[in-house]
Amino acid sequence: MASETPIEDTMRAKVGLVLYAPEIFKLLTTQITEAFKPTTLEIYNDSELHSHHHAMAGNSSKETHFRVVITSDAFESKRQPARHRMVYTLLKEEMAKEGGIHALQLRTKTPEEEETLEEREAKEKGEPAGSASVEAA
């Protein structure tokens, strides 16, 4: 199955999307991609981990709890609460719908924040940073 955009390759790699994507997953992917033009989008369906909760009793939906990582220039100069409000506003209808999204865990970053985080993680692991250059002595 050929990808139409690089973001699809990322989603397949991170989420394991092959040929089948449930309805709410597709909706999340489409709406977030159109609204924020993310450079990274990771969507994890954690619904199975929460199906035993009292609030989920009688709910037959397999798409209620999601963990979403979004890296986008749209978050530039905004603090985390404002970024999260942007996403919640976008998904307001799906979150209000019976059998829709019950819980959404968000991690929102700018491309610069993502790069800084990756460099810090590489440094902690003792790996050379991807964009660092080494000068000859």
Side-chain angles (χ1 to χ4, degrees), residues 45-53 67:
N45 184 345
D46 292 338
S47 303
E48 191 173 301
L49 302 173
H50 302 275
S51 61
H52 66 282
H53 292 180
R67 185 169 26 107

Side-chain angles (χ1 to χ4, degrees), residues 36 39 73 86 106-107 110 128:
F36 301 116
T39 55
D73 286 322
M86 291 168 66
L106 298 172
R107 184 168 182 195
T110 65

Side-chain angles (χ1 to χ4, degrees), residues 1 13 20 23 27 39 42 45 47 81 103 109 117 125 127:
M1 180 174 187
Y20 171 75
E23 180 182 335
L27 179 109
T39 55
E42 299 173 20
N45 184 345
S47 303
K109 305 175 278 190
L117 181 63
K125 291 179 182 178
E127 299 172 357

Side-chain angles (χ1 to χ4, degrees), residues 72-92:
S72 172
D73 286 322
F75 300 135
E76 194 68 45
S77 76
K78 292 178 177 56
R79 296 180 183 259
Q80 288 297 331
R83 296 172 184 185
H84 289 203
R85 279 192 299 272
M86 291 168 66
V87 178
Y88 283 122
T89 299
L90 176 70
L91 302 173
K92 180 171 63 174

Side-chain angles (χ1 to χ4, degrees), residues 133-137:
S133 61
V134 178
E135 294 182 29

Side-chain angles (χ1 to χ4, degrees), residues 20-31 63:
Y20 171 75
E23 180 182 335
I24 296 175
F25 180 91
K26 285 181 187 177
L27 179 109
L28 285 170
T29 303
T30 302
Q31 288 190 346
E63 297 182 280

